[in-house]
Amino acid sequence: MLEQPPLSHPLPDLVSSVLVFPQASQTAHVRVTAKLKEPLDNFTVCLRSYTDLRRPYSLFSCATKKQSNEILLFKPGPGQYELSVGDKPLLFTVPTSLGQSEHVCVSWESSTGIVGFWFNGKPWPRKGLRKGYTVGVPASIVLGQDQDSFGGGFDEKQSFVGEISSVYMWDKGISNSGVVSAMYDSPEQAPVFGWRNFPYKIVGEVYLKP
Ligand SMILES: *[C@@H]1O[C@H](CO)[C@@H](O)[C@H](O)[C@H]1NC(C)=O
C-alpha cells in the first residue's frame, strides 16, 4: 500500500464526494488531521456510510496515548451501532437497511453522561455513560479502522469496506435541526472539522470519488 502525497489544497470541500474503501485491509484508512486543542466535555460526530458488510467494523475511531477507545463509533453487526466513550460501550438498535446508506449522529455531554443518537435524522431515545469523564487530547482520529493504539493497531477483521461521507465533529451538543442540516452538508454551527472543508490524509488504498 502506497502512502499518497499530501493534498495540494489542505481543506477541500468534499460536498459531492465520498471516500471509497475498496477492500478489507489492515492498513487502509483516512486520518483526520484536525487538532483537537482542548479536552472535550461535549462532542457530536455525524457521518454517512454505505456498505453491505455484515461483520463488525469501525467507522470513526478517536484515540489518545492513554486510551485507544476514547471515542469509537463501531458497528458490531447489522442493525446495531455502538458508541464508546473512554472505552465504555453503549449500544443502539436500528432497522437493518440493505441497499441504503445510513446517516448517524452521536453526541455526548460529560455533565450528565447523556448520549444522543440520530439515525437518518431521527432522534433515538437518549441513554448515557461516562458521566464526569473528559475526552483527552492530543487525539488521533481515524476513519475506517479501529485503533488499538495511538494511530495504529488496526485489525483487518474490523476494517470498513464501502463508502463514507459527510463527516462532521463539533465540540458541543447539537439540535435535531442541526442533525438534519449536517445530513444535507449545510451545518448550522461551525464544526471542529467537517465535510465542507475537510482536513484529511488518505493512507493506503482509499479513494476520493464523486
Ligand atoms: C458542555 O455542555 C454542558 C451542557 O450543555 C454545558 O453546560 C457546558 O458548559 C459545556 N462545556 C463546554 C466546555 O463547553
Side-chain angles (χ1 to χ4, degrees):
M1 304 287 171
L2 292 173
E3 186 138 317
Q4 300 193 345
L7 295 152
S8 47
H9 302 290
L11 294 180
D13 185 346
L14 304 188
V15 70
S16 51
S17 308
V18 299
L19 291 163
V20 182
F21 298 73
Q23 57 185 335
S25 151
Q26 204 196 330
T27 51
H29 65 283
V30 174
R31 276 214 311 270
V32 180
T33 52
K35 299 266 183 294
L36 301 179
K37 291 184 191 79
E38 307 279 341
L40 295 175
D41 285 339
N42 307 298
F43 70 79
T44 302
V45 171
C46 296
L47 57 81
R48 180 178 293 284
S49 63
Y50 192 24
T51 180
D52 62 359
L53 284 178
R54 296 184 67 79
R55 61 164 170 78
Y57 58 87
S58 172
L59 288 161
F60 181 101
S61 165
C62 173
T64 59
K65 289 192 169 127
K66 272 201 241 167
Q67 180 53 265
S68 57
N69 294 330
E70 196 67 292
I71 303 172
L72 177 64
L73 181 59
F74 190 80
K75 204 129 185 336
Q80 293 182 318
Y81 280 87
E82 187 181 83
L83 173 71
S84 294
V85 179
D87 206 32
K88 293 281 185 293
L90 188 62
L91 197 66
F92 288 89
T93 305
V94 299
T96 53
S97 54
L98 195 61
Q100 274 171 329
S101 70
E102 297 184 359
H103 183 268
V104 293
C105 292
V106 290
S107 70
W108 172 80
E109 71 174 20
S110 175
S111 60
T112 58
I114 287 177
V115 171
F117 180 83
W118 292 258
F119 183 71
N120 292 334
K122 185 177 189 291
W124 246 235
R126 280 170 282 191
K127 306 194 250 192
L129 81 169
R130 276 300 206 180
K131 178 179 170 175
Y133 187 71
T134 300
V135 170
V137 289
S140 158
I141 301 177
V142 163
L143 307 176
Q145 295 279 1
D146 180 8
Q147 301 178 82
D148 282 337
S149 61
F150 189 77
F154 303 145
D155 178 357
E156 179 172 343
K157 292 190 203 70
Q158 301 182 331
S159 65
F160 179 77
V161 181
E163 304 180 6
I164 292 178
S165 61
S166 299
V167 182
Y168 293 87
M169 183 173 191
W170 293 264
D171 57 2
K172 52 184 86 154
I174 193 169
S175 65
N176 290 343
S177 69
V179 166
V180 173
S181 305
M183 205 160 97
Y184 293 108
D185 286 307
S186 3
E188 282 174 3
Q189 293 182 299
V192 177
F193 57 80
W195 210 236
R196 302 307 300 264
N197 42 14
F198 198 60
Y200 74 105
K201 184 165 190 291
I202 285 174
V203 182
E205 203 185 354
V206 181
Y207 301 100
L208 187 68
K209 283 288 185 185

